[in-house]
Amino acid sequence: MADTFRLTLAQLNPTVGALAANAAKALEAWQAGRAAGAAMVALPEMFLTGYQTQDLVLKPAFVADAMAAMEALAAQIVDGPALGIGGPYWDETGHYNAWWVLHEGKVAARILKHDLPHEDVFDEYRIFDSGPISGPYRIGPLRIGTPVCEDSWHPEVSETLAETGAEILLVPNGSPYFRGKMETRLNVTIARVVETGLPLVYLNAVGGQDDQLFDGASFVLNPHGEMVAQLPAFDEVIAHIDFARGPEGWRALPGPFAEQPDAWEQDYRAMVMGLHDYLAKSGFSKVVLGLSGGIDSALVAVLAADAIGAENVHCVMLPSRYTSQGSLDDAAELARRLGARLDTVEIEGSRHAVAGALDHLLAGTTPDITEENIQSRLRGVMLMALSNKFGGMLLTTGNKSEMAVGYCTIYGDMNGGYNPIKDLYKTRVFETCRWRNSHHRPWMKGPAGEVIPPAIIDKPPSAELRDNQKDQDSLPPYDVLDDILERLVEGDQSVAEIVAAGHERATVKRVEHLLYISEWKRFQAAPGPRLTRRAFWLDRRYPMVNRWRDTSGA
């Protein structure tokens, strides 16, 4: 019996619902593995359908098409390695998240996911049944155990596989990114390796799907937790991992080892990839956005240029009488440095027209946020018109701090199909701009160098909807606001705990109030890339009508 085994890992980017395209990509990976002399080629969890499918996988016609596509793919897997690939499986016993092993023209094995995740962005109890724990399967000289994604986060499946003869663990995943996720994955998988004494292959998907981002960074561990290979983060790659059998059993030989980016680069790459894939998978190739001369729209413009090229980014300045000359100049300079088109659409005439139309109803009232929101909504109308006419997706540019407290105008600056900075607090917006000005990578399609003018980063933020307006007229300083928000949102801390951390109680209560009363706005907000474990959508599901407030420490 042979004492070596080559496993080809296909860390690839599927598209939800694109069954034929995903199958073709899987077949190309299989052909690459065959050319490299592999005994098996592995693809991530639910690769054939794309992931996550959410309720699409409850539709019988979709699952029937997916299973037929899997059988058709199996018929092509002949005279070469086995192919492991994720896809749904329904039979009379239930509906399953399955990993199919195809070999010699047929389905050789089918592993059904046992542990179903039901936290964070996952709700798999809603759409799948828990499968029985499967035993190992043999490919050539090797008995392989496959815990499917969440199965590897708990000891039972891996221990059962080891006890029933598995010689390595191959874990296909659809594991979405959040800041610090790599350390979490390592802690979990090292525990499985230590418990079982087996090598472990962690194969992750890559690519963006709606708000979720799959960052790849697949890796291989030998017993005792020694990492012997790691694939790049956020890149599609096909890599070959060799195993050899020795006196102590099978061990992975040293393989490719890609340097992993730091946290700032990971977040930036995640936003770029999320925007690129949301556009490409939705059928868009260009974008339009309002460029105000402020820092949020500046960062969104640069992210868009890095994702799809500056030639596909249409920036529009929409000044009113309250727009400063500095903002006009800063927007123009950013567009020049970026190489993006910049047009100007004046809104003063439209503002006067709306004021005149409402004059008989608003007579005798004092100008307030109503008139400010009219300006924002006029800008939204103009930008949506350009999006409709020329086919670019409108990007909205509100950061997480603003989205949290409702410092944004529904049907105004919230207009748009996607928000690349939705999960980025304002203090991180500043630091991200500084990071981008001093770093450039080959995957960035925008220009290198100081693309964001320092004046944009340094000036006090302002919506410029009234004379001499500053954000801090309406909000606490952003370093204070963001710390309170991180404690309320990510930390789920009580008011008393936040006050004990050094914040004024009145400020904490005001921020808490704004957070809760803005839920209805977030419910209507555009999607954006998930960077944290508490992004505003599936991670944090709060009622829009909520009269409870925290009185702790009162």
Side-chain angles (χ1 to χ4, degrees), residues 233-308:
F234 300 102
D235 286 330
E236 285 193 294
V237 64
I238 293 174
H240 312 292
I241 304 297
D242 291 322
F243 290 83
R245 179 163 43 196
E248 298 182 347
W250 288 90
R251 298 291 184 268
L253 302 179
F257 228 106
E259 183 178 355
Q260 299 300 299
D262 66 18
W264 291 100
E265 182 170 343
Q266 286 184 49
D267 270 7
Y268 194 88
R269 182 77 186 272
M271 290 185 285
V272 169
M273 183 184 72
L275 174 57
H276 175 275
D277 281 12
Y278 190 78
L279 292 168
K281 294 178 181 183
S282 301
F284 287 84
S285 59
K286 53 189 177 180
V287 299
V288 60
L289 70 144
L291 194 64
S292 68
I295 195 167
D296 296 322
S297 63
L299 179 56
V300 169
V302 176
L303 286 163
D306 283 339
I308 60 174

Side-chain angles (χ1 to χ4, degrees), residues 331-392:
E333 179 61 13
L334 174 77
R336 185 193 68 78
R337 294 184 183 201
L338 203 55
R341 175 181 172 182
L342 175 65
D343 288 311
T344 298
V345 176
E346 301 280 351
I347 69 164
E348 270 301 284
S350 301
R351 189 172 73 89
H352 286 301
V354 172
L358 293 172
D359 187 57
H360 66 293
L361 296 176
L362 302 186
T365 64
T366 302
D368 56 14
I369 195 172
T370 305
E371 285 76 10
E372 295 178 20
N373 284 344
I374 286 171
Q375 297 171 62
S376 182
R377 291 186 176 119
L378 285 171
R379 291 183 173 115
V381 167
M382 307 297 188
L383 291 168
M384 280 306 306
L386 294 172
S387 174
N388 291 160
K389 182 62 70 176
F390 300 111

Side-chain angles (χ1 to χ4, degrees), residues 345-493:
V345 176
E346 301 280 351
I347 69 164
E348 270 301 284
S350 301
R351 189 172 73 89
H352 286 301
V354 172
L358 293 172
D359 187 57
H360 66 293
L361 296 176
L362 302 186
T365 64
T366 302
D368 56 14
I369 195 172
T370 305
E371 285 76 10
E372 295 178 20
N373 284 344
I374 286 171
Q375 297 171 62
S376 182
R377 291 186 176 119
L378 285 171
R379 291 183 173 115
V381 167
M382 307 297 188
L383 291 168
M384 280 306 306
L386 294 172
S387 174
N388 291 160
K389 182 62 70 176
F390 300 111
M393 180 181 286
L394 175 58
L395 301 182
T396 182
T397 62
N399 60 70
K400 189 173 187 176
S401 309
E402 295 172 350
M403 299 300 297
V405 297
Y407 193 64
C408 47
T409 304
I410 194 79
Y411 322 125
D413 59 336
M414 288 178 66
N415 280 8
Y418 196 76
N419 180 356
I421 62 170
K422 184 178 181 179
D423 202 24
L424 201 65
Y425 284 115
K426 185 77 168 192
T427 48
R428 281 190 167 265
V429 170
F430 285 105
E431 288 305 314
T432 301
C433 288
R434 295 185 181 102
W435 182 89
R436 175 57 177 85
N437 273 353
S438 58
H439 295 81
H440 194 265
R441 299 290 184 260
W443 46 264
M444 295 176 179
K445 296 181 180 179
E450 194 179 65
V451 289
I452 302 173
I456 290 178
I457 301 172
D458 296 339
K459 67 184 177 183
S462 171
E464 293 193 329
L465 297 174
R466 62 176 184 268
D467 287 326
N468 303 313
Q469 183 182 23
K470 299 290 184 291
D471 287 5
Q472 289 188 19
D473 298 339
S474 305
L475 300 173
Y478 279 113
D479 58 340
V480 173
L481 176 64
D482 287 357
D483 189 61
I484 294 172
L485 286 171
E486 285 200 51
R487 292 173 183 276
L488 283 170
V489 176
E490 279 81 6
D492 266 335
Q493 292 185 8

